[in-house]
Amino acid sequence: MERVTKLASEKPVVIFSKSSCCMSHTIKSLFYDFGVNLAIHELDEIHEGSEIEQALLRLGRKPSVPAVFIGGELVGGTNEVMSLHLNRSLIPMLRRVGALWV
């Protein structure tokens, strides 16, 4: 859990993902399109990926990826991020944490 907390605070937006997950790809594309300052951790490509995935499951992420942290706080996965975007809350949230400069 400590590792997740540390990684989640390294940039304004942190996404825990798997390279083969289509929903993770969708969320990464959304943030890339916004030009967001982010870090992505592909759990299937890093050494401690399975331990991090277990920690995300303990945080209530089912499925474990994508897991999006904004400003060091767990926002959720695809449904939560898309809901924020559709109700026009995502962009202001990203600006508040310094992930967007415009």
Side-chain angles (χ1 to χ4, degrees), residues 52-73:
I52 293 170
E53 184 172 10
Q54 290 304 311
L56 292 170
L57 289 168
R58 285 192 298 278
L59 286 172
R61 294 297 320 134
K62 291 181 180 143
S64 59
V65 295
V68 179
F69 288 77
I70 298 177
E73 298 293 321

Side-chain angles (χ1 to χ4, degrees), residues 78-98:
T78 306
N79 289 341
E80 295 83 4
V81 170
M82 293 309 292
S83 291
L84 287 169
H85 181 47
L86 291 173
N87 73 27
R88 301 180 191 269
S89 302
L90 184 59
I91 298 288
M93 183 184 290
L94 294 171
R95 285 188 181 128
R96 266 194 310 277
V97 300

Side-chain angles (χ1 to χ4, degrees), residues 37-51:
N37 179 18
L38 74 145
I40 297 172
H41 299 283
E42 301 287 358
L43 300 183
D44 56 339
E45 296 178 356
I46 61 175
H47 175 67
E48 297 175 331
S50 60
E51 291 86 4

